[in-house]
Amino acid sequence: AMEDVSAKFVSQKISRTRCGPCRRRAPAPDVFATGLWDNEDNRISIWSAGDLGNAGLNGEYHGEPHLLCDIQHNGDVMDMQFLDQERIVVASSTGTVTIFRHHQNNQTLSADHRWAKAHYHVDQDTSCGGAACTGVVCNNPEIVTVGEDGRINLFRADQKDAVRTIDNADSSTLHAVTFLRTTEILTVNSIGQLKIWDLRQQRNEPSQIFSLAGDRVPLHCVDRHPNQQHIVATGGQDGMLSIWDIRQGTMPVSLLNAHEAEMWEVHFHPSDPDHLFTCSEDGSLWHWDTSTNVSEKPSFLHQGGRSTAYLSHSTMNQSVVSAWLSNDPTKDRMEITNLIPNQTLSVNSLDVLGPCLVYGTDAEAIYVNRQLFA
């Protein structure tokens, strides 16, 4: 239902979109942030997500997103995440990590704190030594960053220096990071490995390593199930969606044929994790629905009305309750819809919160769907 989606053309390529935290009991975020890449003047922008108070008689929304404020950012925005209502942490291709503050009283953005060259190839002091910071995750006040240099940093928002740095955490590029628990993180790298790191341990080695069999396909993104923390989803260069059960084995529980090119982001819905969303270089954004009410429907991939039978998959034998871990999650249990059937350029980023989905593309547009489950 594309009519529920409002688009904003910004004449710049969008690398990241993030929903602001919901205020108090609001059903949906009232702001979202975007970051740019591949532009002469890359910026961080805060947007109004459209006013819930403007809903018409039928509950439809009016008003496209409008810009509240923006600020210049050095380098491509590689990743970003809200730390709290006012602050957002941004990872740069220059290796620098910056906390920006959104001043809501006068709608401005300012740089609150900057860790220059948190990631670097040679040494921190050379002028050209920066390595891209590829991923950032926050659990206020803690901030974890990973980079092309295979380094993991643990920062605290209130401290000038890193609390902890694991210098040679990985011999390959780390592409993404997320929290598994408050003291443990998950990373994915460019040789198809998923690793767990326990930040309480002083050892500089992962506590567990999982890997894709065979090809060592680079993994680009990772998310964990919000309620069942042993369930982890990753996506990579081949467009496959991998579901892992970190309690058992070292390989994915299921590999699902998904996109035709790199999968850039994967997100479980934070409050309704039967729903998962993935976006890709191939211009598609998929909604994976494993809620039980789809069991009556055949497992087809809906391409804007045209149904194509679901493709092959390989699984390991398991009897588990979660649909994500079933022997064949696609059989009877899953419906997949491409939410943007006619897009051709890369969908680089998505975020989802409540009924709201925000995504950004290389077609220089930001899209907001405020009625995701309508």
Side-chain angles (χ1 to χ4, degrees):
M2 287 294 289
E3 58 274 12
D4 298 334
V5 178
S6 51
K8 180 82 181 175
F9 290 91
V10 293
S11 316
Q12 283 140 335
K13 294 179 182 174
I14 308 291
S15 61
R16 282 292 180 263
T17 56
R18 292 290 178 256
C19 296
C22 284
R23 287 173 200 289
R24 294 176 298 284
R25 302 202 170 165
D30 58 357
V31 300
F32 65 91
T34 57
L36 303 178
W37 79 286
D38 197 28
N39 301 288
E40 280 179 29
D41 177 23
N42 290 314
R43 302 186 88 77
I44 305 297
S45 304
I46 305 283
W47 303 82
S48 153
D51 188 4
L52 289 165
N54 284 347
L57 294 172
N58 304 327
E60 77 275 19
Y61 292 91
H62 299 290
E64 57 177 24
H66 66 267
L67 181 66
L68 296 174
C69 49
D70 65 355
I71 193 170
Q72 205 270 332
H73 177 265
N74 286 333
D76 292 340
V77 174
M78 303 294 288
D79 199 12
M80 60 185 192
Q81 196 174 26
F82 278 90
L83 181 67
D84 55 26
Q85 298 279 10
E86 271 78 46
R87 291 177 294 175
I88 185 161
V89 183
V90 181
S92 171
S93 58
T94 65
T96 294
V97 177
T98 310
I99 303 179
F100 291 98
R101 186 177 289 272
H102 174 208
H103 305 275
Q104 287 153 356
N105 53 349
N106 62 356
Q107 292 303 344
T108 56
L109 272 166
S110 64
D112 222 28
H113 187 73
R114 190 172 272 128
W115 290 283
K117 284 203 203 144
H119 294 272
Y120 53 92
H121 283 304
V122 189
D123 64 83
Q124 227 162 350
D125 305 321
T126 54
S127 60
C128 58
C133 177
T134 50
V136 60
V137 66
C138 307
N139 184 14
N140 192 6
E142 298 193 318
I143 298 164
V144 177
T145 69
V146 296
E148 256 176 23
D149 52 0
R151 198 173 260 107
I152 298 173
N153 290 307
L154 172 61
F155 297 109
R156 283 180 69 101
D158 48 11
Q159 291 181 23
K160 197 161 76 71
D161 297 316
V163 178
R164 169 105 189 262
T165 295
I166 305 177
D167 271 326
N168 299 305
D170 211 298
S171 55
S172 62
T173 294
L174 288 167
H175 281 145
V177 60
T178 194
F179 276 100
L180 177 60
R181 300 181 183 83
T182 48
T183 56
E184 288 179 296
I185 56 166
L186 293 162
T187 60
V188 290
N189 69 12
S190 58
I191 55 169
Q193 294 173 321
L194 167 69
K195 297 182 182 181
I196 300 179
W197 304 81
D198 186 339
L199 298 173
R200 291 164 302 189
Q201 301 288 333
Q202 284 315 299
R203 297 183 312 125
N204 289 343
E205 277 87 47
S207 50
Q208 276 180 280
I209 301 179
F210 304 83
S211 59
L212 294 169
D215 296 342
R216 301 207 154 207
V217 175
L219 291 173
H220 290 304
C221 51
V222 59
D223 197 22
R224 73 151 171 76
H225 192 289
N227 312 336
Q228 297 174 281
Q229 295 182 338
H230 54 279
I231 301 176
V232 175
T234 63
Q237 188 170 291
D238 57 2
M240 298 281 275
L241 173 65
S242 305
I243 305 291
W244 312 71
D245 182 346
I246 60 171
R247 300 169 306 184
Q248 50 186 346
T250 57
M251 285 161 57
V253 176
S254 49
L255 290 171
L256 300 167
N257 269 337
H259 302 279
E260 288 166 25
E262 290 91 339
M263 184 189 296
W264 292 131
E265 292 206 309
V266 56
H267 290 291
F268 284 101
H269 191 287
S271 53
D272 199 350
D274 286 344
H275 299 269
L276 178 125
F277 299 84
T278 59
C279 63
S280 167
E281 178 73 28
D282 68 9
S284 61
L285 191 160
W286 284 15
H287 173 191
W288 306 70
D289 179 358
T290 65
S291 56
T292 44
N293 63 356
V294 301
S295 56
E296 302 79 57
K297 305 173 191 167
S299 170
F300 284 136
L301 168 60
H302 299 282
Q303 284 277 8
R306 183 173 60 85
S307 294
T308 42
Y310 197 77
L311 307 162
S312 70
H313 51 268
S314 68
T315 50
M316 285 158 16
N317 203 15
Q318 240 117 32
S319 51
V320 262
V321 189
S322 168
W324 292 114
L325 300 184
S326 72
N327 280 356
D328 178 359
T330 55
K331 185 165 172 271
D332 309 331
R333 300 287 295 270
M334 192 182 301
E335 184 175 44
I336 303 145
T337 310
N338 180 9
L339 297 181
I340 36 175
N342 305 318
Q343 161 77 7
T344 52
L345 294 175
S346 178
V347 183
N348 294 324
S349 185
L350 72 96
D351 199 15
V352 59
L353 190 60
C356 198
L357 167 74
V358 179
Y359 53 97
T361 72
D362 273 354
E364 306 190 339
I366 306 157
Y367 299 87
V368 183
N369 179 342
R370 301 190 195 80
Q371 293 176 296
L372 199 46
F373 301 121

